[in-house]
PDB file of all heavy atoms in Angstrom:
ATOM      1  N   ASP M   1     -38.240 -45.268 -76.044  1.00  0.00           N
ATOM      2  CA  ASP M   1     -39.573 -45.569 -76.571  1.00  0.00           C
ATOM      3  C   ASP M   1     -40.251 -44.258 -76.948  1.00  0.00           C
ATOM      4  O   ASP M   1     -40.518 -43.420 -76.081  1.00  0.00           O
ATOM      5  CB  ASP M   1     -40.377 -46.326 -75.507  1.00  0.00           C
ATOM      6  CG  ASP M   1     -41.831 -46.534 -75.911  1.00  0.00           C
ATOM      7  OD1 ASP M   1     -42.197 -46.211 -77.044  1.00  0.00           O
ATOM      8  OD2 ASP M   1     -42.610 -47.020 -75.060  1.00  0.00           O
ATOM      9  N   ILE M   2     -40.510 -44.072 -78.228  1.00  0.00           N
ATOM     10  CA  ILE M   2     -41.230 -42.891 -78.718  1.00  0.00           C
ATOM     11  C   ILE M   2     -42.538 -43.371 -79.326  1.00  0.00           C
ATOM     12  O   ILE M   2     -42.535 -44.095 -80.324  1.00  0.00           O
ATOM     13  CB  ILE M   2     -40.403 -42.120 -79.768  1.00  0.00           C
ATOM     14  CG1 ILE M   2     -39.048 -41.705 -79.188  1.00  0.00           C
ATOM     15  CG2 ILE M   2     -41.172 -40.901 -80.277  1.00  0.00           C
ATOM     16  CD1 ILE M   2     -38.120 -41.071 -80.202  1.00  0.00           C
ATOM     17  N   SER M   3     -43.662 -42.984 -78.724  1.00  0.00           N
ATOM     18  CA  SER M   3     -44.977 -43.430 -79.196  1.00  0.00           C
ATOM     19  C   SER M   3     -45.847 -42.218 -79.509  1.00  0.00           C
ATOM     20  O   SER M   3     -45.896 -41.264 -78.735  1.00  0.00           O
ATOM     21  CB  SER M   3     -45.667 -44.297 -78.139  1.00  0.00           C
ATOM     22  OG  SER M   3     -44.897 -45.457 -77.859  1.00  0.00           O
ATOM     23  N   TYR M   4     -46.537 -42.262 -80.621  1.00  0.00           N
ATOM     24  CA  TYR M   4     -47.409 -41.158 -81.009  1.00  0.00           C
ATOM     25  C   TYR M   4     -48.464 -41.684 -81.979  1.00  0.00           C
ATOM     26  O   TYR M   4     -48.368 -42.797 -82.511  1.00  0.00           O
ATOM     27  CB  TYR M   4     -46.611 -40.020 -81.654  1.00  0.00           C
ATOM     28  CG  TYR M   4     -45.757 -40.442 -82.831  1.00  0.00           C
ATOM     29  CD1 TYR M   4     -46.221 -40.346 -84.140  1.00  0.00           C
ATOM     30  CD2 TYR M   4     -44.475 -40.963 -82.632  1.00  0.00           C
ATOM     31  CE1 TYR M   4     -45.444 -40.739 -85.210  1.00  0.00           C
ATOM     32  CE2 TYR M   4     -43.683 -41.354 -83.699  1.00  0.00           C
ATOM     33  CZ  TYR M   4     -44.172 -41.241 -84.974  1.00  0.00           C
ATOM     34  OH  TYR M   4     -43.399 -41.642 -86.025  1.00  0.00           O
ATOM     35  N   ASN M   5     -49.507 -40.875 -82.221  1.00  0.00           N
ATOM     36  CA  ASN M   5     -50.576 -41.247 -83.144  1.00  0.00           C
ATOM     37  C   ASN M   5     -50.921 -40.053 -84.012  1.00  0.00           C
ATOM     38  O   ASN M   5     -50.382 -38.956 -83.846  1.00  0.00           O
ATOM     39  CB  ASN M   5     -51.809 -41.750 -82.390  1.00  0.00           C
ATOM     40  CG  ASN M   5     -52.304 -40.724 -81.388  1.00  0.00           C
ATOM     41  OD1 ASN M   5     -52.773 -39.652 -81.760  1.00  0.00           O
ATOM     42  ND2 ASN M   5     -52.194 -41.057 -80.099  1.00  0.00           N
ATOM     43  N   GLU M   6     -51.842 -40.271 -84.949  1.00  0.00           N
ATOM     44  CA  GLU M   6     -52.152 -39.220 -85.919  1.00  0.00           C
ATOM     45  C   GLU M   6     -52.903 -38.053 -85.289  1.00  0.00           C
ATOM     46  O   GLU M   6     -53.009 -36.974 -85.886  1.00  0.00           O
ATOM     47  CB  GLU M   6     -52.963 -39.796 -87.088  1.00  0.00           C
ATOM     48  CG  GLU M   6     -54.351 -40.293 -86.709  1.00  0.00           C
ATOM     49  CD  GLU M   6     -54.338 -41.765 -86.334  1.00  0.00           C
ATOM     50  OE1 GLU M   6     -53.298 -42.245 -85.851  1.00  0.00           O
ATOM     51  OE2 GLU M   6     -55.380 -42.421 -86.518  1.00  0.00           O
ATOM     52  N   PHE M   7     -53.431 -38.237 -84.061  1.00  0.00           N
ATOM     53  CA  PHE M   7     -54.181 -37.165 -83.415  1.00  0.00           C
ATOM     54  C   PHE M   7     -53.287 -36.289 -82.530  1.00  0.00           C
ATOM     55  O   PHE M   7     -53.687 -35.220 -82.105  1.00  0.00           O
ATOM     56  CB  PHE M   7     -55.310 -37.752 -82.557  1.00  0.00           C
ATOM     57  CG  PHE M   7     -56.246 -38.624 -83.334  1.00  0.00           C
ATOM     58  CD1 PHE M   7     -56.258 -39.987 -83.145  1.00  0.00           C
ATOM     59  CD2 PHE M   7     -57.114 -38.073 -84.273  1.00  0.00           C
ATOM     60  CE1 PHE M   7     -57.115 -40.802 -83.866  1.00  0.00           C
ATOM     61  CE2 PHE M   7     -57.974 -38.884 -84.995  1.00  0.00           C
ATOM     62  CZ  PHE M   7     -57.979 -40.249 -84.795  1.00  0.00           C
ATOM     63  N   GLY M   8     -52.086 -36.764 -82.250  1.00  0.00           N
ATOM     64  CA  GLY M   8     -51.193 -36.015 -81.371  1.00  0.00           C
ATOM     65  C   GLY M   8     -50.331 -35.027 -82.132  1.00  0.00           C
ATOM     66  O   GLY M   8     -50.412 -34.883 -83.359  1.00  0.00           O
ATOM     67  N   GLU M   9     -49.509 -34.311 -81.377  1.00  0.00           N
ATOM     68  CA  GLU M   9     -48.616 -33.336 -81.979  1.00  0.00           C
ATOM     69  C   GLU M   9     -47.549 -34.045 -82.808  1.00  0.00           C
ATOM     70  O   GLU M   9     -47.037 -35.092 -82.431  1.00  0.00           O
ATOM     71  CB  GLU M   9     -47.950 -32.499 -80.882  1.00  0.00           C
ATOM     72  CG  GLU M   9     -47.039 -31.412 -81.412  1.00  0.00           C
ATOM     73  CD  GLU M   9     -46.464 -30.561 -80.290  1.00  0.00           C
ATOM     74  OE1 GLU M   9     -46.947 -30.685 -79.151  1.00  0.00           O
ATOM     75  OE2 GLU M   9     -45.543 -29.774 -80.578  1.00  0.00           O
ATOM     76  N   LYS M  10     -47.218 -33.469 -83.952  1.00  0.00           N
ATOM     77  CA  LYS M  10     -46.218 -34.069 -84.821  1.00  0.00           C
ATOM     78  C   LYS M  10     -44.849 -34.062 -84.135  1.00  0.00           C
ATOM     79  O   LYS M  10     -44.440 -33.073 -83.553  1.00  0.00           O
ATOM     80  CB  LYS M  10     -46.146 -33.303 -86.134  1.00  0.00           C
ATOM     81  CG  LYS M  10     -45.214 -33.940 -87.153  1.00  0.00           C
ATOM     82  CD  LYS M  10     -45.233 -33.187 -88.473  1.00  0.00           C
ATOM     83  CE  LYS M  10     -44.301 -33.825 -89.484  1.00  0.00           C
ATOM     84  NZ  LYS M  10     -44.309 -33.099 -90.775  1.00  0.00           N
ATOM     85  N   VAL M  11     -44.166 -35.179 -84.203  1.00  0.00           N
ATOM     86  CA  VAL M  11     -42.858 -35.319 -83.564  1.00  0.00           C
ATOM     87  C   VAL M  11     -41.784 -34.897 -84.565  1.00  0.00           C
ATOM     88  O   VAL M  11     -41.663 -35.492 -85.642  1.00  0.00           O
ATOM     89  CB  VAL M  11     -42.629 -36.765 -83.097  1.00  0.00           C
ATOM     90  CG1 VAL M  11     -41.249 -36.900 -82.474  1.00  0.00           C
ATOM     91  CG2 VAL M  11     -43.713 -37.187 -82.115  1.00  0.00           C
ATOM     92  N   SER M  12     -41.022 -33.903 -84.213  1.00  0.00           N
ATOM     93  CA  SER M  12     -40.008 -33.391 -85.134  1.00  0.00           C
ATOM     94  C   SER M  12     -38.731 -34.213 -85.052  1.00  0.00           C
ATOM     95  O   SER M  12     -38.443 -34.853 -84.032  1.00  0.00           O
ATOM     96  CB  SER M  12     -39.697 -31.929 -84.811  1.00  0.00           C
ATOM     97  OG  SER M  12     -39.062 -31.823 -83.547  1.00  0.00           O
ATOM     98  N   ALA M  13     -37.963 -34.152 -86.122  1.00  0.00           N
ATOM     99  CA  ALA M  13     -36.683 -34.855 -86.146  1.00  0.00           C
ATOM    100  C   ALA M  13     -35.725 -34.259 -85.116  1.00  0.00           C
ATOM    101  O   ALA M  13     -34.917 -34.974 -84.522  1.00  0.00           O
ATOM    102  CB  ALA M  13     -36.076 -34.772 -87.554  1.00  0.00           C
ATOM    103  N   GLU M  14     -35.823 -32.938 -84.876  1.00  0.00           N
ATOM    104  CA  GLU M  14     -34.963 -32.292 -83.895  1.00  0.00           C
ATOM    105  C   GLU M  14     -35.242 -32.814 -82.482  1.00  0.00           C
ATOM    106  O   GLU M  14     -34.314 -33.020 -81.691  1.00  0.00           O
ATOM    107  CB  GLU M  14     -35.151 -30.779 -83.942  1.00  0.00           C
ATOM    108  CG  GLU M  14     -34.648 -30.112 -85.199  1.00  0.00           C
ATOM    109  CD  GLU M  14     -35.610 -30.269 -86.378  1.00  0.00           C
ATOM    110  OE1 GLU M  14     -36.751 -30.746 -86.166  1.00  0.00           O
ATOM    111  OE2 GLU M  14     -35.219 -29.924 -87.508  1.00  0.00           O
ATOM    112  N   SER M  15     -36.525 -33.025 -82.155  1.00  0.00           N
ATOM    113  CA  SER M  15     -36.886 -33.535 -80.827  1.00  0.00           C
ATOM    114  C   SER M  15     -36.394 -34.966 -80.643  1.00  0.00           C
ATOM    115  O   SER M  15     -35.896 -35.336 -79.574  1.00  0.00           O
ATOM    116  CB  SER M  15     -38.409 -33.475 -80.635  1.00  0.00           C
ATOM    117  OG  SER M  15     -38.863 -32.139 -80.642  1.00  0.00           O
ATOM    118  N   LYS M  16     -36.511 -35.771 -81.685  1.00  0.00           N
ATOM    119  CA  LYS M  16     -36.021 -37.146 -81.619  1.00  0.00           C
ATOM    120  C   LYS M  16     -34.515 -37.171 -81.403  1.00  0.00           C
ATOM    121  O   LYS M  16     -34.002 -37.954 -80.598  1.00  0.00           O
ATOM    122  CB  LYS M  16     -36.377 -37.900 -82.908  1.00  0.00           C
ATOM    123  CG  LYS M  16     -37.861 -38.151 -83.111  1.00  0.00           C
ATOM    124  CD  LYS M  16     -38.088 -38.904 -84.410  1.00  0.00           C
ATOM    125  CE  LYS M  16     -39.565 -39.109 -84.678  1.00  0.00           C
ATOM    126  NZ  LYS M  16     -39.793 -39.849 -85.946  1.00  0.00           N
ATOM    127  N   GLU M  17     -33.810 -36.308 -82.125  1.00  0.00           N
ATOM    128  CA  GLU M  17     -32.358 -36.268 -81.988  1.00  0.00           C
ATOM    129  C   GLU M  17     -31.962 -35.813 -80.583  1.00  0.00           C
ATOM    130  O   GLU M  17     -31.002 -36.327 -80.004  1.00  0.00           O
ATOM    131  CB  GLU M  17     -31.763 -35.324 -83.025  1.00  0.00           C
ATOM    132  CG  GLU M  17     -30.252 -35.249 -82.984  1.00  0.00           C
ATOM    133  CD  GLU M  17     -29.684 -34.318 -84.035  1.00  0.00           C
ATOM    134  OE1 GLU M  17     -30.475 -33.714 -84.789  1.00  0.00           O
ATOM    135  OE2 GLU M  17     -28.447 -34.176 -84.089  1.00  0.00           O
ATOM    136  N   ARG M  18     -32.722 -34.883 -80.025  1.00  0.00           N
ATOM    137  CA  ARG M  18     -32.381 -34.364 -78.700  1.00  0.00           C
ATOM    138  C   ARG M  18     -32.534 -35.425 -77.622  1.00  0.00           C
ATOM    139  O   ARG M  18     -31.653 -35.596 -76.772  1.00  0.00           O
ATOM    140  CB  ARG M  18     -33.260 -33.160 -78.376  1.00  0.00           C
ATOM    141  CG  ARG M  18     -32.800 -32.391 -77.141  1.00  0.00           C
ATOM    142  CD  ARG M  18     -33.598 -31.135 -76.959  1.00  0.00           C
ATOM    143  NE  ARG M  18     -33.153 -30.406 -75.787  1.00  0.00           N
ATOM    144  CZ  ARG M  18     -33.770 -29.331 -75.304  1.00  0.00           C
ATOM    145  NH1 ARG M  18     -34.842 -28.870 -75.916  1.00  0.00           N
ATOM    146  NH2 ARG M  18     -33.299 -28.719 -74.222  1.00  0.00           N
ATOM    147  N   VAL M  19     -33.635 -36.160 -77.653  1.00  0.00           N
ATOM    148  CA  VAL M  19     -33.824 -37.191 -76.633  1.00  0.00           C
ATOM    149  C   VAL M  19     -32.883 -38.366 -76.867  1.00  0.00           C
ATOM    150  O   VAL M  19     -32.441 -39.027 -75.918  1.00  0.00           O
ATOM    151  CB  VAL M  19     -35.307 -37.651 -76.593  1.00  0.00           C
ATOM    152  CG1 VAL M  19     -35.648 -38.554 -77.764  1.00  0.00           C
ATOM    153  CG2 VAL M  19     -35.619 -38.340 -75.271  1.00  0.00           C
ATOM    154  N   GLN M  20     -32.515 -38.631 -78.117  1.00  0.00           N
ATOM    155  CA  GLN M  20     -31.504 -39.650 -78.419  1.00  0.00           C
ATOM    156  C   GLN M  20     -30.163 -39.255 -77.811  1.00  0.00           C
ATOM    157  O   GLN M  20     -29.429 -40.100 -77.281  1.00  0.00           O
ATOM    158  CB  GLN M  20     -31.372 -39.831 -79.930  1.00  0.00           C
ATOM    159  CG  GLN M  20     -30.257 -40.778 -80.362  1.00  0.00           C
ATOM    160  CD  GLN M  20     -30.512 -42.226 -79.985  1.00  0.00           C
ATOM    161  OE1 GLN M  20     -31.659 -42.657 -79.886  1.00  0.00           O
ATOM    162  NE2 GLN M  20     -29.451 -42.990 -79.782  1.00  0.00           N
ATOM    163  N   ASN M  21     -29.839 -37.960 -77.846  1.00  0.00           N
ATOM    164  CA  ASN M  21     -28.598 -37.487 -77.233  1.00  0.00           C
ATOM    165  C   ASN M  21     -28.611 -37.716 -75.725  1.00  0.00           C
ATOM    166  O   ASN M  21     -27.570 -38.040 -75.132  1.00  0.00           O
ATOM    167  CB  ASN M  21     -28.390 -36.003 -77.541  1.00  0.00           C
ATOM    168  CG  ASN M  21     -28.018 -35.745 -78.989  1.00  0.00           C
ATOM    169  OD1 ASN M  21     -27.572 -36.651 -79.684  1.00  0.00           O
ATOM    170  ND2 ASN M  21     -28.208 -34.522 -79.443  1.00  0.00           N
ATOM    171  N   TYR M  22     -29.782 -37.545 -75.106  1.00  0.00           N
ATOM    172  CA  TYR M  22     -29.878 -37.810 -73.668  1.00  0.00           C
ATOM    173  C   TYR M  22     -29.642 -39.288 -73.384  1.00  0.00           C
ATOM    174  O   TYR M  22     -28.961 -39.645 -72.417  1.00  0.00           O
ATOM    175  CB  TYR M  22     -31.240 -37.371 -73.130  1.00  0.00           C
ATOM    176  CG  TYR M  22     -31.265 -35.945 -72.666  1.00  0.00           C
ATOM    177  CD1 TYR M  22     -31.610 -34.912 -73.522  1.00  0.00           C
ATOM    178  CD2 TYR M  22     -30.924 -35.626 -71.353  1.00  0.00           C
ATOM    179  CE1 TYR M  22     -31.622 -33.598 -73.105  1.00  0.00           C
ATOM    180  CE2 TYR M  22     -30.931 -34.307 -70.916  1.00  0.00           C
ATOM    181  CZ  TYR M  22     -31.283 -33.296 -71.800  1.00  0.00           C
ATOM    182  OH  TYR M  22     -31.270 -31.991 -71.373  1.00  0.00           O
ATOM    183  N   LEU M  23     -30.210 -40.149 -74.201  1.00  0.00           N
ATOM    184  CA  LEU M  23     -29.996 -41.578 -74.016  1.00  0.00           C
ATOM    185  C   LEU M  23     -28.513 -41.912 -74.147  1.00  0.00           C
ATOM    186  O   LEU M  23     -27.957 -42.671 -73.331  1.00  0.00           O
ATOM    187  CB  LEU M  23     -30.812 -42.373 -75.034  1.00  0.00           C
ATOM    188  CG  LEU M  23     -30.535 -43.889 -75.080  1.00  0.00           C
ATOM    189  CD1 LEU M  23     -30.810 -44.534 -73.734  1.00  0.00           C
ATOM    190  CD2 LEU M  23     -31.350 -44.561 -76.171  1.00  0.00           C
ATOM    191  N   GLU M  24     -27.853 -41.372 -75.148  1.00  0.00           N
ATOM    192  CA  GLU M  24     -26.436 -41.655 -75.353  1.00  0.00           C
ATOM    193  C   GLU M  24     -25.594 -41.114 -74.196  1.00  0.00           C
ATOM    194  O   GLU M  24     -24.600 -41.730 -73.805  1.00  0.00           O
ATOM    195  CB  GLU M  24     -25.980 -41.066 -76.685  1.00  0.00           C
ATOM    196  CG  GLU M  24     -26.604 -41.767 -77.889  1.00  0.00           C
ATOM    197  CD  GLU M  24     -26.166 -41.171 -79.207  1.00  0.00           C
ATOM    198  OE1 GLU M  24     -25.379 -40.173 -79.179  1.00  0.00           O
ATOM    199  OE2 GLU M  24     -26.595 -41.667 -80.261  1.00  0.00           O
ATOM    200  N   GLN M  25     -26.020 -39.977 -73.630  1.00  0.00           N
ATOM    201  CA  GLN M  25     -25.283 -39.443 -72.492  1.00  0.00           C
ATOM    202  C   GLN M  25     -25.454 -40.326 -71.257  1.00  0.00           C
ATOM    203  O   GLN M  25     -24.510 -40.551 -70.496  1.00  0.00           O
ATOM    204  CB  GLN M  25     -25.758 -38.021 -72.181  1.00  0.00           C
ATOM    205  CG  GLN M  25     -24.959 -37.338 -71.094  1.00  0.00           C
ATOM    206  CD  GLN M  25     -23.487 -37.244 -71.442  1.00  0.00           C
ATOM    207  OE1 GLN M  25     -23.092 -36.470 -72.296  1.00  0.00           O
ATOM    208  NE2 GLN M  25     -22.662 -38.034 -70.794  1.00  0.00           N
ATOM    209  N   ILE M  26     -26.664 -40.836 -71.052  1.00  0.00           N
ATOM    210  CA  ILE M  26     -26.894 -41.780 -69.952  1.00  0.00           C
ATOM    211  C   ILE M  26     -26.033 -43.016 -70.151  1.00  0.00           C
ATOM    212  O   ILE M  26     -25.397 -43.511 -69.212  1.00  0.00           O
ATOM    213  CB  ILE M  26     -28.392 -42.149 -69.873  1.00  0.00           C
ATOM    214  CG1 ILE M  26     -29.208 -40.941 -69.414  1.00  0.00           C
ATOM    215  CG2 ILE M  26     -28.615 -43.323 -68.916  1.00  0.00           C
ATOM    216  CD1 ILE M  26     -30.714 -41.162 -69.496  1.00  0.00           C
ATOM    217  N   LEU M  27     -25.993 -43.518 -71.367  1.00  0.00           N
ATOM    218  CA  LEU M  27     -25.170 -44.693 -71.670  1.00  0.00           C
ATOM    219  C   LEU M  27     -23.697 -44.437 -71.371  1.00  0.00           C
ATOM    220  O   LEU M  27     -22.990 -45.328 -70.891  1.00  0.00           O
ATOM    221  CB  LEU M  27     -25.325 -45.078 -73.147  1.00  0.00           C
ATOM    222  CG  LEU M  27     -26.567 -45.869 -73.538  1.00  0.00           C
ATOM    223  CD1 LEU M  27     -26.699 -45.914 -75.049  1.00  0.00           C
ATOM    224  CD2 LEU M  27     -26.513 -47.272 -72.977  1.00  0.00           C
ATOM    225  N   SER M  28     -23.243 -43.220 -71.628  1.00  0.00           N
ATOM    226  CA  SER M  28     -21.827 -42.911 -71.425  1.00  0.00           C
ATOM    227  C   SER M  28     -21.444 -42.908 -69.950  1.00  0.00           C
ATOM    228  O   SER M  28     -20.262 -42.998 -69.618  1.00  0.00           O
ATOM    229  CB  SER M  28     -21.479 -41.565 -72.066  1.00  0.00           C
ATOM    230  OG  SER M  28     -21.985 -40.489 -71.294  1.00  0.00           O
ATOM    231  N   THR M  29     -22.441 -42.806 -69.045  1.00  0.00           N
ATOM    232  CA  THR M  29     -22.141 -42.822 -67.609  1.00  0.00           C
ATOM    233  C   THR M  29     -22.260 -44.217 -67.012  1.00  0.00           C
ATOM    234  O   THR M  29     -21.926 -44.423 -65.842  1.00  0.00           O
ATOM    235  CB  THR M  29     -23.092 -41.882 -66.843  1.00  0.00           C
ATOM    236  OG1 THR M  29     -24.424 -42.427 -66.856  1.00  0.00           O
ATOM    237  CG2 THR M  29     -23.104 -40.493 -67.461  1.00  0.00           C
ATOM    238  N   PHE M  30     -22.756 -45.160 -67.798  1.00  0.00           N
ATOM    239  CA  PHE M  30     -22.954 -46.522 -67.302  1.00  0.00           C
ATOM    240  C   PHE M  30     -21.609 -47.236 -67.176  1.00  0.00           C
ATOM    241  O   PHE M  30     -20.753 -47.133 -68.045  1.00  0.00           O
ATOM    242  CB  PHE M  30     -23.857 -47.291 -68.271  1.00  0.00           C
ATOM    243  CG  PHE M  30     -23.982 -48.754 -67.965  1.00  0.00           C
ATOM    244  CD1 PHE M  30     -24.864 -49.201 -66.994  1.00  0.00           C
ATOM    245  CD2 PHE M  30     -23.217 -49.689 -68.642  1.00  0.00           C
ATOM    246  CE1 PHE M  30     -24.984 -50.550 -66.708  1.00  0.00           C
ATOM    247  CE2 PHE M  30     -23.331 -51.042 -68.360  1.00  0.00           C
ATOM    248  CZ  PHE M  30     -24.215 -51.468 -67.390  1.00  0.00           C
ATOM    249  N   ARG M  31     -21.450 -47.969 -66.074  1.00  0.00           N
ATOM    250  CA  ARG M  31     -20.250 -48.779 -65.901  1.00  0.00           C
ATOM    251  C   ARG M  31     -20.544 -49.935 -64.959  1.00  0.00           C
ATOM    252  O   ARG M  31     -21.464 -49.883 -64.134  1.00  0.00           O
ATOM    253  CB  ARG M  31     -19.086 -47.944 -65.381  1.00  0.00           C
ATOM    254  CG  ARG M  31     -19.227 -47.452 -63.955  1.00  0.00           C
ATOM    255  CD  ARG M  31     -18.104 -46.501 -63.575  1.00  0.00           C
ATOM    256  NE  ARG M  31     -18.110 -46.177 -62.153  1.00  0.00           N
ATOM    257  CZ  ARG M  31     -17.360 -46.783 -61.239  1.00  0.00           C
ATOM    258  NH1 ARG M  31     -16.528 -47.748 -61.605  1.00  0.00           N
ATOM    259  NH2 ARG M  31     -17.419 -46.453 -59.967  1.00  0.00           N
ATOM    260  N   PHE M  32     -19.760 -50.975 -65.096  1.00  0.00           N
ATOM    261  CA  PHE M  32     -19.854 -52.115 -64.192  1.00  0.00           C
ATOM    262  C   PHE M  32     -19.093 -51.792 -62.911  1.00  0.00           C
ATOM    263  O   PHE M  32     -18.039 -51.154 -62.950  1.00  0.00           O
ATOM    264  CB  PHE M  32     -19.271 -53.367 -64.838  1.00  0.00           C
ATOM    265  CG  PHE M  32     -19.930 -53.749 -66.136  1.00  0.00           C
ATOM    266  CD1 PHE M  32     -19.186 -53.870 -67.307  1.00  0.00           C
ATOM    267  CD2 PHE M  32     -21.292 -53.980 -66.196  1.00  0.00           C
ATOM    268  CE1 PHE M  32     -19.795 -54.215 -68.498  1.00  0.00           C
ATOM    269  CE2 PHE M  32     -21.912 -54.331 -67.381  1.00  0.00           C
ATOM    270  CZ  PHE M  32     -21.152 -54.446 -68.536  1.00  0.00           C
ATOM    271  N   VAL M  33     -19.625 -52.237 -61.776  1.00  0.00           N
ATOM    272  CA  VAL M  33     -18.967 -51.984 -60.493  1.00  0.00           C
ATOM    273  C   VAL M  33     -18.924 -53.268 -59.679  1.00  0.00           C
ATOM    274  O   VAL M  33     -19.681 -54.211 -59.913  1.00  0.00           O
ATOM    275  CB  VAL M  33     -19.690 -50.884 -59.676  1.00  0.00           C
ATOM    276  CG1 VAL M  33     -19.720 -49.574 -60.429  1.00  0.00           C
ATOM    277  CG2 VAL M  33     -21.096 -51.329 -59.292  1.00  0.00           C
ATOM    278  N   LYS M  34     -18.034 -53.264 -58.706  1.00  0.00           N
ATOM    279  CA  LYS M  34     -17.924 -54.348 -57.751  1.00  0.00           C
ATOM    280  C   LYS M  34     -18.203 -53.815 -56.362  1.00  0.00           C
ATOM    281  O   LYS M  34     -18.155 -52.593 -56.117  1.00  0.00           O
ATOM    282  CB  LYS M  34     -16.524 -54.975 -57.816  1.00  0.00           C
ATOM    283  CG  LYS M  34     -16.201 -55.583 -59.165  1.00  0.00           C
ATOM    284  CD  LYS M  34     -14.798 -56.168 -59.161  1.00  0.00           C
ATOM    285  CE  LYS M  34     -14.457 -56.773 -60.518  1.00  0.00           C
ATOM    286  NZ  LYS M  34     -13.072 -57.329 -60.554  1.00  0.00           N
TER     287      LYS M  34
END
């Protein structure tokens, strides 16, 4: 979830890509267990 408004700091494409990489890394550690 990335939320921002016109009064806040501009969100760069690099920052979005970086946090997306963190999400993908978290996903890569997910597994089903018994």
Side-chain angles (χ1 to χ4, degrees):
D1 173 6
I2 303 174
S3 299
Y4 55 94
N5 56 67
E6 66 269 29
F7 303 109
E9 182 177 348
K10 185 177 180 180
V11 178
S12 67
E14 292 79 9
S15 295
K16 292 180 183 180
E17 182 179 1
R18 191 173 180 187
V19 75
Q20 175 68 29
N21 288 341
Y22 270 91
L23 172 59
E24 292 179 359
Q25 185 59 72
I26 291 172
L27 280 168
S28 74
T29 69
F30 172 82
R31 69 187 189 97
F32 302 123
V33 300
K34 298 179 180 179

